[in-house]
Amino acid sequence: MPMILEWAAAGAVILAGLIFCLRIMRRGITTLDQDRDQYLERIRAGERQLD
């Protein structure tokens, strides 16, 4: 019985780590998308000025 509890605890720690990493990755991807949108808007504004 104690061995099952150890495996369950280890599984819970690994699952928590994976969820934590996925949340960080999702925020990072979102940030990159926002940065790309801002750069594209700057490029469009520059093109409008040239026209």
Side-chain angles (χ1 to χ4, degrees):
M1 184 70 173
M3 190 72 157
I4 293 172
L5 293 176
E6 290 176 10
W7 280 102
V13 168
I14 291 171
L15 183 62
L18 286 174
I19 291 171
F20 181 72
C21 289
L22 286 173
R23 290 183 69 188
I24 289 175
M25 282 177 36
R26 190 178 305 160
R27 283 188 199 153
I29 291 169
T30 302
T31 302
L32 290 176
D33 288 341
Q34 290 171 351
D35 288 345
R36 183 178 64 217
D37 290 341
Q38 289 175 354
Y39 291 135
L40 288 174
E41 183 54 39
R42 287 184 193 170
I43 291 170
R44 289 183 191 120
E47 289 173 344
R48 283 189 295 255
Q49 286 180 352
L50 291 175
D51 289 341

